[in-house]
């Protein structure tokens, strides 16, 4: 298959994704008079912020053929360490640094387990999920820690010109990491690793280091996320981020990232996140949807989208 | 089939799926069906939990009684989701928002946003101090303080009381434990040899009861107090399996129908069950939310009322032993006591108890 044709196929998948998203938007704008308002659009983005940031890290991890189920627990534990730093020093800059650095360190632990000790990613990150969550619960005793700090409050609650701070942050992250994935040696290594580990090793790619780096990135972004979560909730919630890993994986796969690795694009992950966010917003907005029916609707729509992918794949669209 | 065909089919399927959702949304959209009725948005903690199913049933009963619409939404146990649900209610412009807060502190900014948008709010179970918000907290400490005094009186102020507590860290459940322990601590001949958290997990409650029965022989347990009825049902299985049913009295909280029926029929030595009941809580909060939506001015704190359910015989027994209501923190507590028959009537239709309720004057 020629490269031009491949590009056309890639665009076809992207067009399909965009088509689904636009269809959802059009239908929902008729279904709810408030769906297409500016403030609801901001709500959609704000409500999916955690998902959007975690999806960046998980896209890198899944592209290498890996999996990181610990990200939700990292959000809670990194947030806690940041809050403890704030409480003991009063230095908010240090607290923010501690959150990101500790998240990265937790990701490095995952990377060492998977890249160097060759532990299966699913099992390894389930274990660290339990450890990080358990550590958070042990330290907090299961209690919420209120956080009254201007900087956290600004990052989680405030906006500039009516736009919440988190929105430009997400935009910048996606632009930067799209560039990293598409235009750097590291990005190409990520794709190569997911395509074929043995081939990647033979071609000189440092498999273990690349694995370590993608998990460190995933942890670091979860640490970044924790700052926003603490600010938005004005407290450290010991159960923060619980289940976020599964929703993020669904969004990433929905966006077209091959769960086996090697195929996909960060912008497609973003559209996957947007589709999930729109569906969740619709569930909240449409008054007469039976709350028990929501799970069926959510699951049904996800299956429909994935079924479309499978049909596209069957016809050679990767 | 060519790729255009696949794409077209995909879009049509997606359109179909979304249309189903759309159709569901339009068919019974409360704002469309009846503009005269008030619409309440209710952000529950987790609608898969049987307790919140009861809460919604009670809320719906009150909605029917007062001709109001309710939009029930689950926070799925996530505070982030709860904030998203509240913000969506603000966006929809509902007439009032009822929040069962996952965390009383963290929901405050969202409540302030709702109030700033002119939407009144009510927060159930917890005291959420935001000017303009109405809280309907549980007098949890007092409820179990009273229960502790009743247990002590029932035992004539001596004996070994075992306590199966809730989830450590949960504010309300911790208040239950504190109230009970403070009440029992007043009586030097009452001992509490073991307190075990069942974490509202019936399987764990069963295991704990088995361990207790293995540890304490006949005559060494004088009473067992449970945090919730489902824990008591599970423990009863262990008691039956050990052949020790009827050996010691049981006390609990919830006011579930099976527990109330056990009291009425004098089964399994269940003596007192504090009636909170999800449907009752639902009906009361629904009433408050509807009144707020109608523009009624309410006090910012309205304590929810627990009622101890017991037979006349039990009431006579504890009062003969000198029981008197002794409220420690959150006055008013409740009625003195309620018969199982009265409790069953309330459980059958939770709206009946509160529908003619007049708010206290501040």
């Amino acid at each position: 298959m020629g490269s031009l044709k491949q590009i056309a196929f890639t665009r076809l998948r992207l067009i399909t994704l965009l088509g689904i998203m636009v269809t959802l938007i059009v239908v929902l704008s008729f279904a709810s008079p408030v769906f297409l308002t500016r403030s609801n659009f901001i709500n959609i983005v704000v409500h999916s912020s955690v998902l959007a940031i975690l999806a960046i890290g998980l896209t890198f991890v899944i592209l290498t053929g890996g999996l990181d189920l610990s990200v939700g627990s990292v959000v809670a534990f990194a947030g806690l360490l940041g809050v403890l730093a704030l409480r003991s020093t009063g230095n908010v800059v240090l607290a923010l640094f501690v959150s990101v650095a500790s998240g990265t360190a937790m990701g490095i632990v995952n990377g060492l387990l998977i890249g160097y000790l060759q532990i299966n990613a699913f099992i390894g990150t389930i274990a660290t999920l339990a450890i990080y969550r358990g550590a958070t619960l042990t330290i907090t005793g299961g209690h919420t820690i209120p956080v009254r700090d201007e900087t956290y409050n600004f990052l989680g609650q405030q906006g500039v010109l009516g736009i919440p701070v988190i929105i430009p942050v997400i935009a910048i992250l996606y632009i930067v990491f799209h560039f990293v994935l598409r235009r750097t040696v590291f990005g190409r290594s990520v794709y190569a690793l997911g395509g074929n580990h043995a081939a990647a090793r033979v071609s000189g790619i440092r498999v273990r280091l690349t694995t370590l780096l993608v998990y460190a990135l995933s942890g670091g972004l979860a640490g970044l996320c924790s700052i926003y979560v603490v600010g938005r909730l004005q407290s450290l919630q010991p159960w923060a981020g619980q289940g976020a890993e599964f929703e993020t994986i669904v969004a990433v796969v929905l966006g077209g990232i091959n769960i086996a690795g090697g195929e996909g694009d960060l912008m497609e992950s973003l559209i996957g996140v947007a589709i999930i966010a729109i569906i969740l917003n619709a569930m909240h907005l449409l008054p007469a949807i039976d709350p028990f029916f929501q799970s069926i609707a959510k699951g049904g729509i996800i299956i429909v989208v994935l079924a479309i992918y499978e049909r596209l794949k069957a016809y050679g669209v990767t | 089939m060519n790729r255009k065909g696949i794409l077209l089919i995909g879009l049509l399927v997606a359109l179909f799926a979304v249309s189903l959702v759309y159709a569901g949304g339009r068919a019974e959209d409360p704002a469309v069906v009846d503009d005269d009725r008030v619409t309440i948005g209710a952000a529950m903690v987790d609608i898969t939990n049987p307790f919140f199913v009861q809460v919604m049933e009670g809320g719906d009963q009150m909605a029917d009684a007062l001709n109001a619409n309710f939009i029930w939404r689950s926070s799925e146990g996530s505070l982030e989701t709860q904030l998203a649900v509240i913000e969506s209610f603000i966006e929809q412009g509902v007439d009032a928002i009822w929040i069962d807060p996952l965390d009383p502190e963290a929901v405050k900014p969202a409540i302030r946003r709702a109030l700033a948008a002119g939407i009144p709010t009510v927060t159930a179970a917890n005291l959420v101090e935001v000017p303009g918000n109405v809280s309907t907290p549980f007098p949890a400490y007092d409820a179990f303080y009273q229960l502790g005094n009743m247990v002590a009186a029932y035992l004539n102020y001596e004996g070994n009381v075992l306590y199966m507590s809730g989830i450590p860290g949960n504010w309300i459940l911790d208040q239950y434990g504190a109230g009970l322990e403070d009440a029992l601590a007043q009586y030097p001949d009452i001992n509490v040899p073991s307190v075990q958290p069942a974490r509202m997990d019936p399987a764990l409650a069963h295991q704990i009861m088995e361990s207790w029965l293995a540890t304490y022989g006949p005559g060494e347990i004088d009473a067992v107090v449970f945090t919730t009825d489902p824990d008591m049902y599970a423990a009863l299985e262990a008691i039956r399996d050990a052949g020790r049913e009827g050996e010691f009295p049981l006390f609990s909280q919830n006011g579930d129908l099976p527990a109330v029926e056990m009291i009425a029929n004098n089964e399994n030595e269940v003596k007192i069950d504090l009636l909170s009941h999800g449907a009752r809580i639902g009906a009361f909060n629904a009433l408050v939310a509807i009144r707020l939506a109608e523009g009624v001015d309410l006090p910012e704190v309205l304590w929810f009322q627990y009622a101890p359910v017991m037979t006349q015989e039990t009431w006579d027994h504890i009062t003969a032993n000198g029981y008197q209501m002794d409220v420690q923190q959150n006055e008013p507590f409740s009625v003195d006591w309620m018969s199982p028959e009265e409790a069953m009537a309330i459980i059958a239709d939770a709206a009946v108890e509160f529908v003619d309720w007049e708010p206290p004057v501040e």
Side-chain angles (χ1 to χ4, degrees):
Chain A
M1 194 181 290
S3 62
L4 199 62
K5 210 170 181 181
Q6 277 183 333
I7 290 168
F9 274 147
T10 306
R11 281 182 182 164
L12 185 59
R13 191 172 63 189
L14 194 64
I15 290 165
T16 308
L17 268 176
L18 285 169
I20 291 165
M21 193 173 77
V22 169
T23 306
L24 281 168
I25 290 171
V26 169
V27 172
L28 290 169
S29 64
F30 282 104
S32 169
V34 296
F35 179 77
L36 220 52
T37 58
R38 178 181 179 273
S39 52
N40 191 55
F41 174 74
I42 289 175
N43 274 352
I44 291 174
V45 181
V46 167
H47 297 166
S48 60
S49 302
V50 171
L51 197 62
I53 296 173
L54 294 180
I56 297 172
L58 268 167
T59 298
F60 277 77
V61 170
I62 292 175
L63 280 173
T64 64
L67 199 59
D68 186 355
L69 297 176
S70 72
V71 285
S73 297
V74 173
V75 168
F77 195 32
L80 171 65
L81 296 177
V83 169
L84 292 179
L86 178 68
R87 286 198 153 196
S88 55
T89 66
N91 186 333
V92 70
V93 177
L94 178 69
L96 303 184
F97 173 77
V98 166
S99 282
V100 178
S102 61
T104 306
M106 287 176 236
I108 288 172
V109 170
N110 286 337
L112 290 171
L113 294 174
I114 294 153
Y116 288 82
L117 295 181
Q118 303 291 304
I119 292 174
N120 176 280
F122 183 83
I123 301 299
T125 56
I126 273 194
T128 53
L129 172 156
I131 291 168
Y132 300 151
R133 180 71 66 189
T136 308
L137 290 169
T138 303
I139 295 170
T140 60
H143 296 280
T144 297
I145 302 175
V147 177
R148 299 278 174 272
D149 179 83
E150 288 295 317
T151 308
Y152 272 103
N153 187 42
F154 174 74
L155 295 172
Q157 301 277 341
Q158 306 298 316
V160 179
L161 301 174
I163 296 174
V165 176
I166 194 69
I167 293 180
V169 170
I170 291 171
I172 291 167
L173 286 173
Y174 269 86
I175 291 167
V176 168
F177 285 105
H178 181 70
F179 175 81
V180 170
L181 197 55
R182 284 291 175 188
R183 302 272 182 237
T184 67
V185 174
F186 172 65
R188 284 192 287 276
S189 304
V190 168
Y191 278 108
L193 208 57
N196 186 324
H197 264 242
R201 187 173 283 113
V202 169
S203 60
I205 289 169
R206 299 173 72 181
V207 173
R208 289 174 171 179
L209 181 64
T210 307
T211 302
L212 184 109
L213 288 176
V214 293
Y215 283 95
L217 173 66
S218 179
L221 287 166
L224 184 70
C225 230
S226 75
I227 296 168
Y228 168 71
V229 171
V230 169
R232 177 154 162 82
L233 305 181
Q234 294 196 339
S235 57
L236 183 282
Q237 299 285 329
W239 290 103
Q242 191 187 22
E245 55 279 352
F246 295 109
E247 212 157 62
T248 311
I249 290 167
V250 168
V252 168
V253 173
L254 201 62
I257 307 294
N258 187 340
I259 195 78
E263 291 172 20
D265 182 80
L266 189 58
M267 288 306 160
E268 290 172 348
S269 288
L270 180 61
I271 299 173
V273 168
I275 290 173
I276 291 277
I278 290 168
I279 292 171
L280 293 177
N281 183 256
M283 298 298 162
H284 296 154
L285 279 187
L286 298 179
I289 295 182
D290 184 303
F292 292 112
F293 178 73
Q294 288 188 7
S295 294
I296 299 173
K298 245 190 302 188
I301 292 170
I302 289 165
I303 285 173
V304 166
V305 175
L306 293 179
I308 292 169
Y309 283 154
E310 288 307 312
R311 294 315 303 155
L312 288 171
K313 267 187 193 171
Y315 286 91
V317 180
T318 55
Chain B
M1 191 188 299
N2 61 23
R3 283 184 293 278
K4 280 182 184 170
I6 300 165
L7 181 62
L8 187 63
I9 288 172
L11 288 174
L12 284 173
V13 172
L15 185 63
F16 174 68
V18 177
S19 298
L20 284 176
V21 175
Y22 169 56
R26 296 297 282 187
E28 296 174 34
D29 182 339
V32 176
V33 171
D34 188 345
D35 285 338
D36 294 334
R37 292 195 281 170
V38 293
T39 298
I40 313 295
M44 296 290 102
V45 169
D46 181 359
I47 60 164
T48 59
N49 181 310
F51 171 77
F52 287 102
V53 172
Q54 285 184 345
V55 170
M56 291 194 295
E57 285 170 357
D60 281 334
Q61 286 166 354
M62 186 59 79
D64 290 342
L66 297 177
N67 197 29
N69 298 305
F70 272 76
I71 304 170
W72 299 103
R73 288 292 176 264
S74 177
S75 306
E76 296 166 0
S78 156
L79 192 47
E80 294 96 322
T81 304
Q82 184 156 66
L83 296 183
V85 167
I86 297 167
E87 282 159 1
S88 294
F89 284 148
I90 297 170
E91 204 62 44
Q92 291 171 73
V94 295
D95 297 305
I97 301 175
W98 160 11
I99 303 152
D100 223 308
L102 275 145
D103 183 277
E105 282 301 311
V107 293
K108 282 182 177 176
I111 288 174
R112 287 190 196 101
R113 281 196 283 277
L115 293 169
I119 301 172
T121 56
V122 53
T123 47
N126 296 273
L127 190 60
V128 180
E129 292 173 300
V130 174
N133 175 60
V134 173
S135 297
T136 59
F138 296 162
Y141 177 92
D142 274 351
F144 266 59
Y145 188 86
Q146 290 306 319
L147 185 63
N149 282 331
M150 290 175 193
V151 171
Y154 189 89
L155 299 178
N156 205 13
Y157 309 104
E158 60 179 347
N160 292 329
V161 178
L162 304 176
Y163 175 44
M164 208 176 277
S165 61
I167 304 169
N170 177 300
W171 186 82
I172 291 172
L173 301 179
D174 286 348
Q175 289 288 299
Y176 285 159
L180 183 77
E181 286 171 27
D182 287 353
L184 295 179
Q186 299 172 99
Y187 311 107
D189 294 328
I190 293 275
N191 300 310
V192 184
S194 180
V195 176
Q196 291 291 326
R199 308 189 65 81
M200 297 185 81
D201 176 355
L204 184 55
H206 188 274
Q207 288 175 15
I208 291 169
M209 197 70 233
E210 283 181 329
S211 302
W212 277 345
L213 292 169
T215 308
Y216 305 103
E220 292 179 331
I221 302 173
D222 294 298
V224 181
V225 180
F226 299 91
T227 303
T228 67
D229 287 344
D231 291 348
M232 181 174 71
Y233 305 148
L236 269 170
E237 293 299 321
I239 294 169
R240 282 195 201 102
D241 291 346
R244 294 175 68 175
E245 62 265 50
E247 191 183 299
F248 41 81
L250 308 177
F251 303 85
S252 185
Q253 182 273 142
N254 262 158
D256 279 355
L257 188 58
V260 173
E261 286 174 341
M262 285 180 206
I263 295 173
N265 301 327
N266 204 18
E267 288 174 28
N268 301 314
E269 282 296 290
V270 179
K271 294 300 175 188
I272 300 174
D273 199 34
L274 286 183
L275 179 67
S276 49
H277 202 280
R280 197 166 167 260
I281 293 165
F284 181 65
N285 283 283
L287 173 71
V288 172
I290 292 166
R291 293 292 180 241
L292 286 172
E294 291 170 343
V296 176
D297 199 19
L298 296 176
E300 291 194 354
V301 180
L302 292 165
W303 289 100
F304 179 72
Q305 304 282 295
Y306 286 70
V309 179
M310 67 187 93
T311 60
Q312 179 74 50
E313 185 188 1
T314 302
W315 175 250
D316 291 344
H317 176 70
I318 63 173
T319 48
N321 282 347
Y323 168 74
Q324 284 186 324
M325 186 176 283
D326 175 21
V327 174
Q328 294 296 297
Q329 288 185 333
N330 304 324
E331 199 172 3
F333 165 62
S334 179
V335 294
D336 285 342
W337 68 289
M338 186 182 280
S339 72
E341 292 74 24
E342 287 174 288
M344 282 189 259
I346 288 170
I347 294 167
D349 186 356
V352 169
E353 186 184 5
F354 299 114
V355 74
D356 296 323
W357 174 80
E358 291 293 330
V361 178
E362 280 188 294

